[in-house]
Amino acid sequence: MAVRGWGRSVATATGIAAGAGAAQLGLGYGLGIVAWLPSVDGGGEASWVASLAWATWITATSVVMGAVVADRLAPSPPNSEPSAGADPDRTPDSLLTASLWRLALAAAAAIGGMLTVALIAVPARSATRADTFSPQTIAAGYAMVGAVVGLLMAIWAVASRAAAANAIATVGWLWLLAVVAVIDSVISGTGLTSAQLGVWQITADSEQYWFRNIYLPGAALSLGSAFIIGAVSAWPAARDARRRVGAAISGGVGPVLIAAAYFLAAPRLVGPRAEQLSAHLLAPYAVIAGLAGSVLVTAIAQRLEMSRRQPATATDRDHDGASAADASADGRDDASGSGSAEGRDAPVPEQPTSGQVADAPARGTASVTGGGRPKPTTPDGS
């Protein structure tokens, strides 16, 4: 039964990863976000770099989503994180089982993500380039590297619910941003153009919005979104003391995928347009911003828990002190009451009256006469 359950989950991870990759590429091709254009001018070169970044990122995120969804749909997956009522002392066998479970789901999702390699390589043949005779091979290679990156991130996401939430929230946010950028370009009269990964030039092209090579509105959008997503996705796990380590570092999952896609697409920063260059330079700082958000909410959750525990401890201490005082007071009352009762109940010895003589003392002792003077006695009684 266990083997059957694992086989079903592995197949689910493969199918969901393949479906997620196909759905994302279909959306990208349909909106013109991913476009393999001939490299005859600067626009074609920028589109090539942007499409390579999208191809890498789509493949990686498809692998992560396949592994995470299959793990959540599994009937009884091994616990990768201790729950609120779980035993924190896990045996090595359970740790090994959880590790194998994560690795199996991630590997199966990576296999399913390989479907995007074909869906990327075939359309990429239209991207005629002077530096290579086979652009589809380069595009397919980037997709395969994205699958490897997704495999590593999937292991992390399956092990931490906060990391999985961060990755999925980042995917949703970037697609929303891309759709908004395309709609904005259509409204402005530019038409369907290749959108950049995580980039939307909100303002007009004016020098006042630029600081050297950094587009300031884009920087605020990129860093702010990474911080907010990192904080929001980490908060549920940060409230559990046994999940705080994973929650604290979960803010870097989504930004790391973006940074990897940008670095692989243009490692020497040759070919991107100005807004693309700004996004390339900001990608590492977005990772830091995401980590800052998750670390901040984890610290806040820990501080709130400590503040809740301190009044409770003080109340228990006061209650214990009052109980001890009451117990000692009861003891004193019992002691005094018992003593007085014993004093009242004890018989009082009778005192001889005047003129009476006490019992005869033993031989060799003195007796007291009525006058109060001792009279010696002799052995014969005289």
Side-chain angles (χ1 to χ4, degrees):
M1 295 298 293
V3 175
R4 183 183 303 175
W6 277 49
R8 185 183 299 112
S9 298
V10 166
T12 301
T14 303
I16 291 176
Q24 291 188 88
L25 284 175
L27 181 61
Y29 288 141
L31 296 178
I33 296 173
V34 180
W36 306 103
L37 303 177
S39 180
V40 295
D41 54 5
E45 184 65 23
S47 177
W48 169 257
V49 174
S51 297
L52 288 180
W54 276 106
T56 306
W57 182 80
I58 287 174
T59 308
T61 54
S62 299
V63 174
V64 173
M65 286 190 290
V68 169
V69 175
D71 178 66
R72 301 300 180 263
L73 293 178
S76 57
N79 290 328
S80 55
E81 281 184 329
S83 59
D87 186 5
D89 298 328
R90 298 198 299 268
T91 62
D93 292 339
S94 63
L95 291 176
L96 178 60
T97 302
S99 300
L100 292 177
W101 170 262
R102 295 193 292 265
L103 183 59
L105 290 184
I111 294 174
M114 287 297 179
L115 176 64
T116 60
V117 176
L119 297 178
I120 288 171
V122 174
R125 292 180 298 177
S126 59
T128 306
R129 297 185 55 80
D131 54 354
T132 179
F133 65 92
S134 180
Q136 64 270 20
T137 303
I138 296 177
Y142 274 86
M144 295 180 67
V145 173
V148 175
V149 174
L151 171 66
L152 300 177
M153 292 296 104
I155 296 175
W156 185 3
V158 173
S160 173
R161 290 182 178 270
N166 185 278
I168 295 177
T170 303
V171 170
W173 164 250
L174 289 188
W175 276 113
L176 175 63
L177 190 64
V179 171
V180 170
V182 170
I183 294 174
D184 179 67
S185 64
V186 171
I187 294 175
S188 62
T190 308
L192 292 177
T193 58
S194 177
Q196 315 302 322
L197 179 63
V199 176
W200 175 31
Q201 191 169 354
I202 305 172
T203 60
D205 193 5
S206 176
E207 293 183 359
Q208 62 178 345
Y209 301 111
W210 291 82
F211 177 74
R212 296 182 180 179
N213 292 323
I214 302 299
Y215 179 57
L216 296 179
L221 188 64
S222 176
L223 301 181
S225 62
F227 180 86
I228 294 174
I229 293 175
V232 172
S233 61
W235 175 249
R239 300 174 64 182
D240 188 349
R242 285 168 290 187
R243 296 180 179 179
R244 287 197 180 124
V245 175
I249 62 176
S250 64
V253 178
V256 162
L257 292 172
I258 301 173
Y262 272 127
F263 175 77
L264 294 172
R268 295 182 298 172
L269 299 180
V270 177
R273 293 188 299 192
E275 62 271 17
Q276 281 181 298
L277 181 60
S278 176
H280 278 258
L281 296 176
L282 289 171
Y285 297 100
V287 177
I288 299 175
L291 289 173
S294 58
V295 170
L296 178 62
V297 298
T298 303
I300 293 174
Q302 185 175 7
R303 180 64 61 86
L304 291 176
E305 182 179 0
M306 293 176 62
S307 64
R308 285 194 301 266
R309 286 182 177 180
Q310 288 177 354
T313 305
T315 303
D316 294 341
R317 193 162 50 243
D318 295 340
H319 182 269
D320 294 340
S323 300
D326 294 341
S328 61
D330 293 341
R332 287 195 300 270
D333 294 341
D334 293 342
S336 61
S338 61
S340 61
E342 291 176 357
R344 289 192 301 269
D345 296 339
V348 179
E350 296 180 357
Q351 299 294 332
T353 61
S354 176
Q356 293 181 347
V357 180
D359 294 341
R363 289 177 181 269
T365 61
S367 62
V368 180
T369 61
R373 298 180 64 181
K375 181 180 179 180
T377 60
T378 58
D380 55 2
S382 58

